[in-house]
Amino acid sequence: MLLLTGGLLGLISGAVLGLTGAGGGIFAVPALVFGLGMDIRHAAPVALLAVGAAAALGALQGLRQGVVRYKAAMMLAAAGAVTAPLGVQFAHWLSPRWLNLIFVAIMLVVAYRMFMSSRGSQTEDALADEQARICKISKDTGRFVWNLRTATMLGSIGVMSGLATGMLGVGGGFIIVPALAHFSELRMHSIVATSLMVIALLSAVTVFIAWSHGLTLTAPAWTFVLAALVGMSLGRVLARRIPSRLLQRMFSISCVAVAALMLMRNVG
């Protein structure tokens, strides 16, 4: 029964990652906590292994299509690799109760940002967003115009993403995708593909750290990981057929529901 549960939950988590480029870890950790009975400390590295493997598959597809900004992804991942071990250490210092509360808070913030994004921007908001786009794209090459401001901004995004990855096992896509959408001129399909590459690289670093600390996986956990790869492929196909606004709203509602479950579990 646990094998079936792990497979189904992994399929859903991988599909969410494929659809959004940001939400796989957000759902993978609660899925392991509720579905397989893990505590959040053990669930985080298992979720990262699943999300990282699925993200690597999605990133390879993006590289073949030429939409991954791989130099930016390498910079984001390098900055995140510096802070990911610190995040892992924070996870050991904090109690599971506090980790749950932090996770709930992040889910609610992500839900709010995603829902507001689905409503569309007003003129003033659009102008403000345009002014905030520090990371410019060359009209000739379609690649980033590299300068100190671009490098600093991408490095800062990577630092925050790495910290969240190490501490909560969420991959960091929920930081990378909205940050690149706000601070860069990249199109969304390129943002998602680039985010997947960063998630894959950061997850590999964090899982290696966890493995060196004695991480072991049960059969249901391995089933979860393998099913996430299948879910990623399905999600990437479905993403072309579902309106982005509808997808964002469904994602927001799901985040709030899962956050409520996590909060009730924490209180209980």
Side-chain angles (χ1 to χ4, degrees):
M1 185 62 182
L2 281 178
L3 286 174
L4 181 61
T5 302
L8 179 60
L9 294 175
L11 192 68
I12 293 171
S13 298
V16 171
L17 183 63
L19 286 166
T20 66
I26 286 287
F27 286 107
V29 173
L32 291 167
V33 169
F34 288 108
L36 300 184
M38 296 182 180
D39 68 47
I40 195 167
R41 282 180 180 157
H42 293 99
V46 176
L48 268 183
L49 179 59
V51 168
L57 179 62
L60 287 174
Q61 294 172 348
L63 284 168
R64 284 201 302 269
Q65 296 166 0
V67 296
V68 176
R69 302 278 70 90
Y70 57 88
K71 290 181 181 178
M74 294 296 289
M75 172 165 279
L76 286 160
V82 174
T83 54
L86 182 60
V88 173
Q89 193 61 54
F90 279 149
H92 285 87
W93 287 340
L94 295 170
S95 69
R97 180 178 292 271
W98 275 106
L99 285 174
N100 276 329
L101 288 174
I102 293 171
F103 199 93
V104 166
I106 287 175
M107 290 197 78
L108 292 175
V109 170
V110 171
Y112 172 77
R113 291 295 301 271
M114 192 72 78
F115 182 78
M116 294 304 293
S117 176
S118 73
R119 296 180 62 186
S121 301
Q122 300 297 321
T123 304
E124 292 183 4
D125 292 338
L127 180 60
D129 283 346
E130 189 65 32
Q131 293 172 342
R133 287 175 181 170
I134 296 170
C135 305
K136 303 294 184 181
I137 299 297
S138 169
K139 294 181 180 179
D140 296 325
T141 64
R143 302 179 185 278
F144 278 115
V145 177
W146 285 97
N147 52 43
L148 182 59
R149 294 183 72 200
T150 297
T152 301
M153 178 54 66
L154 291 176
S156 300
I157 296 170
V159 163
M160 295 302 297
S161 179
L163 191 64
T165 299
M167 184 166 64
L168 298 171
V170 291
F174 73 94
I175 293 174
I176 298 166
V177 170
L180 287 180
H182 185 69
F183 292 111
S184 82
E185 296 178 333
L186 284 177
R187 294 183 179 275
M188 185 52 67
H189 68 284
S190 188
I191 289 174
V192 170
T194 302
S195 171
L196 290 175
M197 183 173 177
V198 180
I199 291 170
L201 294 171
L202 281 180
S203 298
V205 172
T206 309
V207 169
F208 176 78
I209 295 170
W211 225 295
S212 66
H213 285 81
L215 171 67
T216 57
L217 270 69
T218 61
W222 275 116
T223 304
F224 182 92
V225 172
L226 295 174
L229 292 172
V230 178
M232 160 60 74
S233 299
L234 293 174
R236 296 291 283 169
V237 172
L238 290 173
R240 306 188 193 104
R241 304 179 180 180
I242 301 176
S244 59
R245 185 168 295 184
L246 174 62
L247 185 61
Q248 287 173 328
R249 293 190 177 184
M250 290 172 60
F251 182 83
S252 300
I253 294 169
S254 299
C255 276
V256 172
V258 174
L261 288 172
M262 293 283 284
L263 187 59
M264 286 190 291
R265 183 180 187 274
N266 200 60
V267 172

